[in-house]
Amino acid sequence: MEIRSPAFKENARAALDDPQLRHALEHVKSGFIVKRAMAAEALPEFEKLRDSSKAIKDETLANLDKYLEAYETKVTESGGHVHWAESAADARDIILKICQSVGARTVTKGKSMISEEIELNDFLEGNGVQPVETDLGEYIIQLRGEHPSHIIAPAVHLARSQVEADFRRVHTHLPVDRDLTEPVTLLSEARKVLRAKYFQADVGITGANFLVAETGTSVIVTNEGNGDLTQILPKVHIVLASIEKIVPTLSDLSQVLRVLARSATGQDMSVYTTLSTGPRRAGDPDGPEQYHVVLLDNGRSSMIGTEFQEMLRCIRCGACMNHCPVYHAVGGHTYGWVYPGPMGSVLTPSLIGVDKAGHLPNASTFCGRCEAVCPVRIPLPKMMRHWREREFSRRLNPATQRYGLKAWAFFARRPRLYRLATSIGIPVLSLFGGRGRFKSLPLAGGWTRHRDMPAPEGRTFMQEWKQREAQKQGARI
Amino acid sequence: MSGREAILNRLRVALREGKDDATREQAVQARIAAAPRGVVPMRGRLPDDDRVTLFCAMAQKVSATVERVGSSANVPGAVAAYLRQRNLPARVRMGADARLGAMPWNTEPSLEIDSGRAQDEDLAGVSHAIAGIAETGTVVLHSGQDNPTTVNFLPEHHLVVVRAKDIVGDLETVFDQVRQTFGKGHMPRTLNFITGPSRSADIEQTLLLGAHGPRALHVIVVDGD
Ligand code: SF4
């Protein structure tokens, strides 16, 4: 998809001024957080399972070449084909060739963020193959010509009324006076429309949550069942997955499955966890005749061995964005590319370059909630800091920031001056702000445009600290 | 250089630092062969009866309906009654599964049985699970000559028969059985883990049952046999 990350600030401003979006984002704040907490609480071994999942992904990444080869051997043994794609363009070409080889006109698709990453839909359409998204959220997004705003809830930024309007606009074969006021009627309508598509499709493309080296198996985890209909009805099943999706064995799969659904939606297990190995077997009454796996690198192998390797542990549960105050405020589209929230802030610069995505690692309050909930314990704040350091050393951040930091550093290295400056600054600020809050502040318009800035109350941290220490000393004597 | 070689080479160079290739290869093969178990929750480790009870409770928690019958001979009656209660036509889609085939379907003469893969208009499908998982209320089914996967997804109502003695505590136990049945490193084409009827929360995060898969999942637990 078109990269809009460089415009992060403008995007954020627009998002903050959008009342409908603000309303929709409330759903993220309330729903996901509570559900995850309850699911984690209900399983005494949850924290241990997080450690175990982290260790499994670390082991896989430390020997990723070997596990990929082992996986490939197994896929081939079961009659499937593995295709290696270094870049997005390679992956698109491979997929188009497979589609063309069976004369495909319609392709159904299960939800896949990788497909967004390689901009598959536009490409297929441009080459005469009609892609149809079948996940309800993705379908809605496709009708609107938009992109997902969340990795597991792609349409979370939309209101029911918007979906109704889109269905009326597109499903013109249905009676105009039908009632679509309830979400359930919208769901039924999508179910009916998409049913026909599954049967028309020549090729079904799904992503993969995991690939198992022990057996050459691809695993998808869904709630709707669309991914399954996508892969069992057409003649050809293509799995589109990035190289880090590997886990060594089915035992390891058990571990990561236990943390995935709980972290994502607070379910103990998603409704459908489906393991697919090769094409249909002799005598099978259904299932695809061809089974292809497209393994996408697209920059990931270059992260191995760097300080960003740990990011490749990510199992795309979405918990970090669900718990992120910045995501809550600006929503997913603001991040300007496929992956939003804290995981996007770390991954996006790796995949598209820090020159384009430099704002993202700065979009953090460093509150640490993302790391606290990440099922594979990715140190997201630390990694955002890595990016900031790189950005600074490459002089990519704006002059005001650089001078600001330099000025701060000048004072920070001279404690007396620092104390003097702050002890003058604070009373001045509190004089203007009184005991309340600032509605506007010079040089801080970005802050005060959408929220107040609390006015400092009286004294500096150092002054408070000194006094407390003195009191403690006094108490001890 | 092909994409494959380029990707693998980059990884190799980056990973070689610690250990040499041969040592890593050996370690990886050994790990895959041993497939060590990780953390297995205590939740499912229960005496037989309690495990079945937990399975039923967990399945109900995710909006499946559950009924227990004393013997596989009662299954046809249970299927017919399910359809009657919901005013559905007395007709089901069913694979040629031997366990289902051995049941006395002639006791329900009005029940029509369509065999083979499911069709779009099927209202009810019956499958036999290879296992139930108590920790999550999940049923496990695999594809094969006599077990069309489409039966699990196309009909509006999916009825799944599972023997109480096949209900295990956890995922790991199921995978051990699959390894035993199909041979280590081998799998059926499709292995489905199904936990409740299909659902979506994509519109305003409102949870709705019946997305693209079945609107209802009915689990029939066979206690006897
Ligand atoms: S970074 Fe962690 S919390 Fe965020 S999506 Fe990935 S696995 Fe989930």
Side-chain angles (χ1 to χ4, degrees), chain A residues 94-378:
Chain A
I94 292 165
I95 292 170
L96 180 64
K97 279 218 182 78
I98 300 171
C99 291
Q100 286 170 339
S101 74
V102 293
R105 314 264 308 256
T106 307
V107 169
T108 40
K109 295 183 66 215
K111 196 174 128 37
S112 157
M113 294 309 292
I114 306 289
S115 159
E116 294 287 336
E117 187 181 322
I118 67 168
E119 299 171 84
L120 183 59
N121 286 0
D122 284 351
F123 179 76
L124 288 178
E125 246 180 289
N127 284 280
V129 181
Q130 180 59 44
V132 180
E133 294 290 348
T134 61
D135 171 87
L136 178 60
E138 291 282 348
Y139 176 66
I140 295 167
I141 295 298
Q142 191 184 21
L143 293 185
R144 299 174 63 83
E146 285 185 0
H147 295 285
S149 67
H150 190 288
I151 60 172
I152 66 158
V156 75
H157 59 288
L158 296 174
R160 189 209 56 79
S161 55
Q162 291 170 291
V163 180
E164 174 176 350
D166 292 320
F167 279 21
R168 290 196 184 281
R169 175 172 58 80
V170 179
H171 302 159
T172 45
H173 61 293
L174 297 170
V176 272
D177 57 351
R178 68 195 190 281
D179 183 7
L180 288 177
T181 45
E182 291 301 319
V184 70
T185 51
L186 292 167
L187 178 65
S188 305
E189 183 163 314
R191 178 186 166 110
K192 239 181 260 141
V193 171
L194 286 168
R195 263 300 164 96
K197 302 284 184 192
Y198 295 121
F199 284 93
Q200 275 167 27
D202 310 287
V203 174
I205 301 177
T206 67
N209 293 85
F210 304 103
L211 304 170
V212 186
E214 178 187 355
T215 50
T217 298
S218 56
V219 184
I220 57 168
V221 175
T222 72
N223 279 323
E224 298 186 6
N226 64 306
D228 288 277
L229 290 169
T230 297
Q231 61 164 292
I232 53 179
L233 292 173
K235 284 195 289 281
V236 179
H237 176 196
I238 302 177
V239 179
L240 175 57
S242 48
I243 52 172
E244 83 282 14
K245 292 281 146 86
I246 299 264
V247 292
T249 68
L250 295 170
S251 315
D252 299 315
L253 177 66
S254 311
Q255 302 291 294
V256 286
L257 283 175
R258 285 200 183 93
V259 294
L260 174 60
R262 287 183 174 89
S263 302
T265 52
Q267 290 167 285
D268 285 353
M269 184 111 170
S270 300
V271 178
Y272 301 112
T273 299
T274 299
L275 281 63
S276 306
T277 314
R280 77 157 79 172
R281 309 285 161 83
D284 278 0
D286 51 21
E289 287 155 26
Q290 292 180 34
Y291 176 78
H292 297 269
V293 183
V294 180
L295 288 176
L296 177 75
D297 181 345
N298 208 24
R300 288 165 175 81
S301 59
S302 307
M303 294 166 70
I304 296 282
T306 72
E307 67 260 58
F308 298 108
Q309 173 166 330
E310 288 182 281
M311 189 59 224
L312 297 175
R313 286 204 297 265
C314 176
I315 56 172
R316 305 285 189 273
C317 70
C320 54
M321 58 201 75
N322 292 342
H323 289 75
C324 177
V326 177
Y327 182 94
H328 291 162
V330 299
H333 285 157
T334 299
Y335 293 79
W337 200 54
V338 183
Y339 304 104
M343 57 82 65
S345 296
V346 177
L347 188 63
T348 305
S350 294
L351 299 184
I352 66 173
V354 69
D355 50 330
K356 295 198 197 77
H359 287 310
L360 305 190
N362 289 308
S364 163
T365 63
F366 285 88
C367 67
R369 279 160 81 184
C370 49
E371 184 176 358
V373 295
C374 174
V376 284
R377 304 197 190 280
I378 298 174

Side-chain angles (χ1 to χ4, degrees), chain B residues 39 44 67 69-70 72 74 89 97 107-108 110 116 118 127 130 138 159 161 166 171 174 192 195 203 207 210 221 223:
Chain B
V39 180
E67 95 177 88
V69 298
S72 60
N74 305 126
D97 184 277
T107 56
E108 296 297 330
S110 60
S127 328
I130 53 164
T138 302
L159 292 81
V161 183
D166 292 336
L171 274 166
V174 174
N192 291 120
T195 314
I203 301 173
L207 183 68
V221 177
D223 278 302

Side-chain angles (χ1 to χ4, degrees), chain A residues 4 35 43 83-84 90 97 193 249 326 406:
Chain A
R4 299 200 58 247
K35 286 184 208 144
L43 188 70
H83 310 263
W84 300 73
D90 290 352
K97 279 218 182 78
V193 171
T249 68
V326 177
K406 280 209 177 119

Side-chain angles (χ1 to χ4, degrees), chain A residues 137 191 214 258 278 286 301, chain B residues 10 135 150 172 189 202 213:
Chain A
R191 178 186 166 110
E214 178 187 355
R258 285 200 183 93
D286 51 21
S301 59
Chain B
R10 258 198 307 278
E135 65 167 317
T150 39
E172 280 82 350
R189 149 65 201 167
D202 273 346

Side-chain angles (χ1 to χ4, degrees), chain A residues 372-442:
Chain A
V373 295
C374 174
V376 284
R377 304 197 190 280
I378 298 174
L380 294 154
K382 185 181 96 185
M383 299 174 105
M384 283 184 243
R385 218 147 36 222
H386 286 327
W387 277 125
R388 288 189 186 189
E389 283 158 18
R390 281 208 193 179
E391 203 195 2
F392 195 81
S393 65
R394 286 179 54 191
R395 309 180 149 270
L396 287 171
N397 38 2
T400 43
Q401 233 178 64
R402 302 182 69 83
Y403 291 132
L405 276 174
K406 280 209 177 119
W408 178 82
F410 173 84
F411 283 104
R413 264 185 251 119
R414 295 163 179 82
R416 279 177 182 220
L417 260 180
Y418 188 93
R419 258 170 269 159
L420 184 67
T422 48
S423 65
I424 295 172
I426 297 274
V428 169
L429 274 178
S430 75
L431 203 66
F432 284 111
R435 296 225 127 232
R437 307 173 74 83
F438 291 105
K439 290 226 176 311
S440 70
L441 209 59

Side-chain angles (χ1 to χ4, degrees), chain B residues 31-121:
Chain B
R31 196 175 185 295
I32 291 177
R37 280 184 173 208
V39 180
V40 182
M42 289 301 291
R43 187 193 275 179
R45 289 193 226 168
L46 294 166
D48 292 355
D49 283 353
D50 296 350
R51 199 168 57 235
V52 176
T53 310
L54 175 65
F55 167 80
C56 297
M58 292 306 284
Q60 280 163 334
K61 206 175 117 185
V62 292
S63 309
T65 48
V66 180
E67 95 177 88
R68 294 177 72 159
V69 298
S71 126
S72 60
N74 305 126
V75 171
V79 170
Y82 175 91
L83 300 175
R84 260 199 314 278
Q85 281 155 18
R86 285 159 185 82
N87 285 324
L88 293 165
R91 182 167 199 157
V92 291
R93 172 72 57 181
M94 200 163 93
D97 184 277
R99 293 157 300 187
L100 291 174
M103 294 170 185
W105 295 95
N106 53 6
T107 56
E108 296 297 330
S110 60
L111 185 67
E112 277 184 71
I113 298 177
D114 300 312
S115 56
R117 60 180 288 169
Q119 303 298 325
D120 190 19
E121 53 290 347

